[in-house]
Amino acid sequence: MTDTIKKLWPELDWIGDMELREKTAETWQRAFEKSVLKPDDLEKIPFTLLCGPDLKVSFMAHKRCVVHLAKESGETMNRFFGKELPINMDVLIAGAILADVGKLLEYEIDSDGKAVQGKYGQYLRHPFSGVSLAEECGVPPEVCHIIAAHAHEGDLVKRTTEAYIVHHADFMAFEPFKKK
Ligand SMILES: [Fe+2]
């Protein structure tokens, strides 16, 4: 794992399985190799292009918030439901960290230096490109499932418990901005 990825995602340390942690970090590394964006850009660009030009919340602030929400939700559900609804915390956290990794391929930089949706992103939204990147790096299917099913595309999929948590964490940290 490179220092840049470690610095960007301190939450990688929450993944106990070292192999999964490494593959999750590798997927982000691979995404940067293919993207016009640099790690620093993610602290500046807005987390979505769907909420207008005034949105100030950065890509990383949103992504990290979703990972924290997912972890705390998983822990709470494990505490109350125990064996009735077991949650794999490593799978949950890796899936939350990777849910939007494909967005790095959705952007292009326009002539004003602003990040905009590019042609690739119009054809393949990030749930698809994210799975493609993750599979390249050997990320297991139960984690790729979370990437695939986290957004509205996943409404037609029978989500796992971990995928439900990431989906709701993502939307609760997104929809209030959309309604503003
Ligand atoms: Fe997403």
Side-chain angles (χ1 to χ4, degrees):
M1 187 186 313
T2 65
D3 286 348
T4 314
I5 301 296
K6 242 192 229 177
K7 210 177 125 216
L8 192 72
W9 279 113
E11 293 80 5
L12 281 162
D13 282 349
W14 293 343
I15 304 172
D17 179 334
M18 291 306 286
E19 203 185 324
L20 181 59
R21 189 190 297 181
E22 207 46 56
K23 286 174 176 174
T24 304
E26 236 178 272
T27 307
W28 272 91
Q29 186 64 42
R30 186 84 191 99
F32 279 117
E33 285 163 17
K34 291 185 161 187
S35 179
V36 295
L37 300 173
K38 303 273 169 285
D40 278 354
D41 296 326
L42 302 190
E43 310 284 358
K44 291 179 225 145
I45 61 166
F47 76 88
T48 176
L49 302 170
L50 302 174
C51 294
D54 295 329
L55 183 75
K56 298 284 184 292
V57 180
S58 74
F59 188 98
M60 280 318 291
H62 181 266
K63 300 316 147 204
R64 293 186 62 206
C65 176
V66 169
V67 175
H68 285 241
L69 287 170
K71 176 175 180 275
E72 285 168 33
S73 303
E75 286 167 349
T76 304
M77 286 169 77
N78 267 338
R79 196 163 64 242
F80 281 92
F81 304 145
K83 287 194 193 105
E84 295 305 313
L85 196 72
I87 291 161
N88 184 319
M89 291 302 295
D90 273 4
V91 166
L92 173 65
I93 293 163
I97 291 177
L98 289 175
D100 276 349
V101 69
K103 275 201 179 172
L104 267 65
L105 308 189
E106 282 192 4
Y107 288 90
E108 280 176 12
I109 303 291
D110 73 5
S111 50
D112 300 328
K114 277 179 80 182
V116 294
Q117 192 186 41
K119 186 177 165 193
Y120 181 92
Q122 283 164 22
Y123 286 110
L124 290 168
R125 256 174 47 84
H126 63 277
F128 302 98
S129 46
V131 168
S132 163
L133 286 164
E135 286 207 309
E136 246 184 78
C137 298
V139 171
E142 58 273 29
V143 176
C144 288
H145 166 82
I146 297 175
I147 306 171
H150 82 276
H152 277 313
E153 284 89 341
D155 292 349
L156 295 173
V157 171
K158 190 173 181 293
R159 289 185 174 104
T160 59
T161 307
E162 292 82 0
Y164 265 120
I165 296 172
V166 174
H167 167 66
H168 286 291
D170 188 29
F171 276 68
M172 71 189 268
F174 161 58
E175 291 201 307
F177 288 109
K178 218 168 78 175
K179 303 270 184 310
K180 258 171 94 175

